[in-house]
């Protein structure tokens, strides 16, 4: 099974947890033209920022590592440059720069210098601003708008639950499952199943 097929399967299992835009990109059977592959590139610092940002979305718990431990800092840039068209890559890069500018404006520090509490506040503000922009765009009947926060969130969820940590530590894992039981009861506190 290739990477795209594995991610499609994970996306189907996640259902509505990821946006239609990300879902559509994974299910389109297109190949990016050569001039759109790696249209942008990410620095090592930007990968660190994306790893830390993803770790705010899916933090570590006492039972499992978070998004950073699952390697999302390198997964997100790889997905953006390998799977998304140049227009979306550019919008994502601009969103990342805007987030850094917001960090400097709001906290007088770059993202990597923020405390965990400040990062959480910045991410909460980004989420709120994204929701407000989405509502305004829907009201104005604008479609096809790329939202940085939505892509980061979607790729964090997708990458995490397709990772070894997401499948084996965050959820119950049975290497060789038995019969299908769509109504299996979960014990209080039990993790959901990964297949």
């Amino acid at each position: 099974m290739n990477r795209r097929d594995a991610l499609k399967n994970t996306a189907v299992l996640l259902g509505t947890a990821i946006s239609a835009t990300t879902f559509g990109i994974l299910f389109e059977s297109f190949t990016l033209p050569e001039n759109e592959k790696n249209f942008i590139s990410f620095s090592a610092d930007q990968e660190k920022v994306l790893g830390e940002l993803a770790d705010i979305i899916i933090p570590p718990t006492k039972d499992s590592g978070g998004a950073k431990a699952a390697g999302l800092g390198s997964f997100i840039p790889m997905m953006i440059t390998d799977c998304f068209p140049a227009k979306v890559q550019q919008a994502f890069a601009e969103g990342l720069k805007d987030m850094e500018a917001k960090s400097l404006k709001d906290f007088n520090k770059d993202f990597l210098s923020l405390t965990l509490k400040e990062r959480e506040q910045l991410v909460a503000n980004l989420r709120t601003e994204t929701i407000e922009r989405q509502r305004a765009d829907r009201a104005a009947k604008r479609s096809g708008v790329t939202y940085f926060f939505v892509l980061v969130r979607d790729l964090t969820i997708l990458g995490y639950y397709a990772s070894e940590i997401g499948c084996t530590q965050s959820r119950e894992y049975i290497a060789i499952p038995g019969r299908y039981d769509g109504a299996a009861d979960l014990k209080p506190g039990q993790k959901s199943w990964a297949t």
Side-chain angles (χ1 to χ4, degrees), residues 55-75:
D55 224 39
I56 298 295
I57 296 169
I58 301 181
T61 66
K62 66 180 180 72
D63 296 327
S64 63
K68 184 171 60 171
L72 276 286
S74 58
F75 174 81

Side-chain angles (χ1 to χ4, degrees), residues 52-57 59-60 68 107 109 111-124:
E52 295 294 337
L53 178 58
D55 224 39
I56 298 295
I57 296 169
K68 184 171 60 171
F107 300 100
K109 298 186 243 179
F111 186 82
L112 292 175
S113 299
L114 297 176
T115 66
L116 178 59
K117 192 165 190 71
E118 290 169 335
R119 288 178 186 176
E120 289 172 346
Q121 183 60 50
L122 180 67
V123 171

